[in-house]
Amino acid sequence: HAEHDLFSPVTQTVWWIVARVARIDGGEGRVELNPAAFHLLNLLVHLGASVACLELLHRLIGRRWPAALGALVFAVHPVQVEAVCWTAATKDLLAGLFSWIALGLFVTTIGLERAGGAVTRLLAGYGLSALMFILAMLSKPSAVVVPLMGLILDRWVIGSPWRGVLIRLVVGLGLAMPIAIIAREVQPGHEVATVPVPQRLLVAADALAFYLWKLIWPVNLTFDYGRTPAKVLAQSWVVMTSAVPVIVALVAGLAWKRWRLVPVSGLLLLAGVFPVLGLVPFDFQIYSTVSDHYLYLAMTGPGLLSAWLARGVRGAGGVAILVAIGSVVSARQVWTWRDLEAVSRQGLHVNPYSWTSYNNLSAALASKGRIEPAVAAGRKAVELRPDLLITRQTLCGALTLQADGLAAQGRYSEAIQVYQQALEILPSSPGAWTNLAATYAEIKAYDKAIHAYEKALSFDPSFPAAVEGLNLVRKLQASGG
């Protein structure tokens, strides 16, 4: 089944397997999951994807060391940090791994076909490639672009005739179509503001310009750039940024005859991010149209360009320097992902209007017992997005913890005021109602306590603390205690 508007059964299955071995005792009979297991999973899949990328580049370039340098650019570029450090991005890593295996088998089998290989070997090669492609799409639906990447490699790198290229493309698109339909059904993008088609072209061009810049200058990276369609279209610079891809395309066209792999690399980059450029609405656009992990599969382009440049001694030296610099920048970027507070503060450093960073920061600070700053961050998140349930839930939770602390100190009247503030933010919170009721019970305001407990149960009839508290208060009231 789809989860969070995404159909990715292979990823879900892998997570299920890891979860079976990652269980640890959380104390008090609770079972938790060891996050190290999921981080290790991402590292191993990224390593496998890097090797698969290396093998693909080797088949395309024909030389091992330039291909290795190209694969290293893919592996250590700072924009890859998000996909590896954010465990939820396992789907991007798995989709990339299976896609590069599929493309590697695809390129190898085309070579066998041109050399007159046996039909059984060709069927096995194309069949395995198709299977890997299906696994890629079932890891993350955006892998439906692999046939387009195959077309680019088939026609303009390998040099196959158009007839064979188109036949293979039609077969690939036939495999992709069911997944594309399912993906569209489960992620309609209904929360994203409707944007007319001509303006979507501006959003897509702006996204491409953004990605090109981050590939060249990968600093100030974060998970939420706040580059929503509405924000992009409201800026005067959108015409300038949207013109960048057009200019790059014109320059690449001039280089087509002499340096074909340069524009081909650009086409691979374009194909890799095509589903998430904003031409079709998707859920994450409520945060931003652009995100680092969307570049994972698209990094095939920069990897191929780097491998092509590394064929000569000077080029290899230049690419090696880029790999070294990229490794240092990536190591620093990894540090910003060390915990939720660090991720959130980095997000606010890059995008001071990131409501999700404020929301996450509030949750992170509250979990560390830093209640006052948690409340302040939560208020900022609600100020930015008062329409979202999650921001109000987080602030309500922080205020409830603040009130709990006041009640524990015997400052009941102050605690009651803060509970009431929490309930103004989220009137449907059974936890806040229950703790307010318990505070009323402490000062023997039993009628108010009963009313608050009943309010809690009206929102969650089985809320344990409210059920027990209501029974106890009724007994105390009846006994005059």
Side-chain angles (χ1 to χ4, degrees), residues 412 416 436-450 472-473 476-481:
Y412 299 119
I416 289 170
L436 173 61
T439 304
Y440 277 134
E442 286 287 341
I443 60 175
K444 301 188 184 321
Y446 295 134
D447 288 338
K448 291 182 177 180
I450 290 172
L472 177 60
V473 168
L476 290 172
Q477 189 180 46
S479 65

Side-chain angles (χ1 to χ4, degrees), residues 76-439:
V76 304
H77 196 287
V79 298
Q80 302 288 58
V81 171
E82 178 175 282
V84 181
C85 289
W86 185 22
T87 56
T90 305
K91 54 187 177 293
D92 298 271
L93 305 178
L94 287 171
L97 170 63
F98 290 125
S99 294
W100 287 307
I101 295 175
L103 288 169
L105 289 167
F106 179 74
V107 169
T108 301
T109 308
I110 291 174
L112 288 173
E113 184 177 355
R114 297 179 71 176
V119 174
T120 53
R121 292 189 66 187
L122 297 180
L123 289 174
Y126 284 129
L128 283 174
S129 177
L131 175 61
M132 293 298 106
F133 173 43
I134 291 170
L135 290 174
M137 292 188 293
L138 295 178
S139 298
K140 188 176 182 182
S142 57
V144 294
V145 299
V146 167
L148 295 179
M149 301 177 80
L151 177 149
I152 294 166
L153 298 177
D154 196 1
R155 176 59 185 168
W156 293 303
V157 179
I158 299 173
S160 298
W162 270 114
R163 183 175 182 276
V165 170
L166 293 176
I167 290 173
R168 287 184 282 269
L169 174 65
V170 169
V171 173
L173 292 178
L175 293 173
M177 191 60 64
I179 301 298
I181 293 172
I182 293 173
R184 184 61 184 155
E185 286 295 317
V186 302
Q187 188 174 148
H190 52 78
E191 294 186 5
V192 181
T194 303
V195 176
V197 173
Q199 292 184 354
R200 292 183 198 175
L201 294 174
L202 288 176
V203 171
D206 175 80
L208 276 174
F210 179 87
Y211 286 134
L212 289 170
W213 175 244
K214 287 300 179 184
L215 288 171
I216 297 170
W217 192 251
V219 297
N220 288 331
L221 304 177
T222 186
F223 75 101
D224 174 19
Y225 291 104
R227 220 174 177 92
T228 62
K231 184 174 181 180
V232 168
L233 294 171
Q235 305 301 319
S236 58
W237 42 251
V238 65
V239 176
M240 295 176 58
T241 57
S242 60
V244 171
V246 178
I247 296 171
V248 171
L250 291 174
V251 173
L254 295 174
W256 185 264
K257 288 187 177 180
R258 187 172 181 182
W259 301 298
R260 177 170 293 185
L261 280 187
V262 176
V264 164
S265 298
L267 288 174
L268 289 171
L269 173 67
L270 173 61
V273 295
F274 188 77
V276 288
L277 287 178
L279 295 171
V280 176
F282 56 95
D283 284 0
F284 195 77
Q285 281 186 293
I286 66 171
Y287 304 97
S288 179
T289 298
V290 295
S291 186
D292 292 354
H293 67 279
Y294 291 153
L295 282 169
Y296 196 75
L297 181 56
M299 283 296 291
T300 308
L304 177 60
L305 178 60
S306 300
W308 178 73
L309 292 173
R311 293 174 306 159
V313 176
R314 290 183 179 179
V319 173
I321 292 172
L322 290 176
V323 168
I325 295 173
S327 300
V328 174
V329 177
S330 290
R332 294 185 62 185
Q333 182 64 17
V334 166
W335 188 243
T336 68
W337 283 85
R338 62 188 180 274
D339 58 27
L340 186 57
E341 181 180 353
V343 170
S344 303
R345 293 197 182 281
Q346 171 67 7
L348 292 171
H349 171 70
V350 178
N351 175 17
Y353 301 100
S354 172
W355 65 265
T356 188
S357 293
Y358 275 115
N359 190 71
N360 290 346
L361 179 61
S362 177
L365 294 172
S367 69
K368 296 178 179 180
R370 296 160 62 186
I371 307 302
E372 294 293 336
V375 169
R379 289 192 188 280
K380 189 64 178 177
V382 170
E383 177 186 327
L384 291 168
R385 290 302 301 269
D387 56 310
L388 294 180
L389 176 62
I390 188 171
T391 59
R392 290 182 283 115
Q393 285 176 328
T394 302
L395 177 55
C396 178
L399 286 168
T400 300
L401 288 174
Q402 185 180 47
D404 291 346
L406 293 170
Q409 298 172 31
R411 297 160 63 182
Y412 299 119
S413 60
E414 295 175 63
I416 289 170
Q417 290 178 3
V418 178
Y419 284 130
Q420 290 171 341
Q421 290 177 30
L423 290 166
E424 287 176 6
I425 298 295
L426 189 68
S428 62
S429 171
W433 279 114
T434 298
N435 291 11
L436 173 61
T439 304

